[in-house]
Amino acid sequence: MSTPAAQPSGPVLRPRRLRQSPAIRRLVAETRLHPAELVLPVFVREGITEPVAISAMPGVVQHTVESLVAEAQRAAEAGLGGIMLFGVPEQKDATGSGADDPQGILNVGLRAVADAVGDRLVVMADLCLDEFTDHGHCGVLTADGRVDNDATLERYAAMGLAQARAGAEVLGLSGMMDGQVAYVRDALDAEGFTDTVILAYSAKYTSGLYGPFREAVQSSLQGDRATYQQDPANATESLRELELDIAEGADIVMVKPAGPHLDIVAAAAAMSPIPVAAYQISGEYAQIVAAADNGWIDRERVMMESLIGIRRAGAQIILTYFAFDAAALL
């Protein structure tokens, strides 16, 4: 008689085989980060002679033009994909006139960075009025204090042209005005800037996590931006915004903040025929840094976990204040 086959005494399927060593885990990793996928947001401030620390964002500063150029050169050497500039002017007014002034701090910074590293690093500009208006809103206000969508589009077009002339390769339209992509695209094309890339902040949610950023740009905002930024309760509405921006000619679309809205990042990646970016914003950065400084979490581990999560959700480009730290580990 034949001997009965031995019965399995334990698990037959052992997924842990593929997790048993660092080398095997590295071999089968499904999601990878690369420094070229990371964009560093930076702040350039008018009227200072040395960098100024931002208390709510340890390790991040407001730059002089000179230190900004040095930071851009460092970013190029680190292999980062790009650098996104935000301006902090000395003077503000109701229409944000400093935004399209060729001698305004943001445009001065853009020229300096483009001249220094424009052939090695993608130079991006934040295209929004909030840093330049005395009321802190992202657009022009009506007499009764509402944001005037169509009047704001005219200011965005002027700002976009000023930034393109200053050397920005990518314009980050972050104001969430209806029709902003088409309006700025038409203005750029009419002036011969047909190669200037539009990065549309298509799903930009109103969030309590912007607090540290508002210190960084010395925001004058009173109230909130709920009438133009996305409601965190809504998802379908954001997909409509993405579809509209793509139809209007956006070259890249973005979701912001990244971490709380990974479902929107994933949905955007699933439907978008163009690259999807995500912005790990100031409050996301500050939470990790503060918890790590208190000894509650491992900074590097949580930093990389957060970035991998954004990448796994489908973002091909990640704006993050951790760009240098992450690039060093990668």
Side-chain angles (χ1 to χ4, degrees), residues 18-29:
L18 299 182
R19 301 196 289 267
Q20 64 182 289
S21 72
I24 290 180
R25 292 194 296 272
R26 185 173 64 248
L27 177 68
V28 301

Side-chain angles (χ1 to χ4, degrees), residues 66-205:
E66 292 73 19
S67 70
L68 172 70
V69 170
E71 190 85 332
Q73 290 170 333
R74 182 182 166 212
E77 291 163 4
L80 300 185
I83 187 168
M84 172 70 81
L85 274 64
F86 296 84
V88 186
E90 283 190 291
Q91 302 296 324
K92 304 178 183 183
D93 57 33
T95 62
S97 60
D100 57 325
D101 181 351
Q103 298 308 311
I105 185 59
L106 181 53
N107 295 318
V108 170
L110 285 168
R111 279 195 299 274
V113 170
D115 288 346
V117 299
D119 57 342
R120 296 183 291 149
L121 191 68
V122 178
V123 179
M124 305 180 177
D126 176 60
L127 198 163
C128 195
L129 292 175
D130 60 315
E131 297 126 69
F132 299 91
T133 55
D134 53 13
H135 48 73
H137 276 288
C138 298
V140 178
L141 300 185
T142 61
D144 60 357
R146 295 179 297 109
V147 174
D148 187 328
N149 192 95
D150 295 0
T152 298
L153 296 183
E154 296 181 18
R155 296 293 300 126
Y156 285 2
M159 189 175 185
L161 288 171
Q163 292 175 343
R165 292 178 183 126
E169 295 176 84
V170 176
L171 307 184
L173 277 61
S174 63
M176 290 295 290
M177 295 297 117
D178 292 342
Q180 62 183 10
V181 172
Y183 204 95
V184 173
R185 180 78 272 163
D186 286 348
L188 291 170
D189 290 354
E191 293 294 324
F193 294 104
T194 55
D195 291 334
T196 301
V197 174
I198 288 181
L199 164 62
Y201 288 53
S202 301
K204 182 179 181 182
Y205 283 89

Side-chain angles (χ1 to χ4, degrees), residues 9-66:
S9 59
V12 175
L13 301 178
R14 296 182 181 271
R16 285 184 56 195
R17 292 189 190 109
L18 299 182
R19 301 196 289 267
Q20 64 182 289
S21 72
I24 290 180
R25 292 194 296 272
R26 185 173 64 248
L27 177 68
V28 301
E30 298 173 28
T31 304
R32 302 179 193 278
L33 277 173
H34 190 280
E37 298 167 342
L38 305 178
V39 173
L40 178 70
V42 292
F43 306 96
V44 57
R45 177 176 167 183
E46 188 174 20
I48 58 174
T49 57
E50 59 184 22
V52 175
I54 300 167
S55 64
M57 300 174 69
V60 181
V61 303
Q62 296 168 326
H63 285 283
T64 66
V65 174
E66 292 73 19

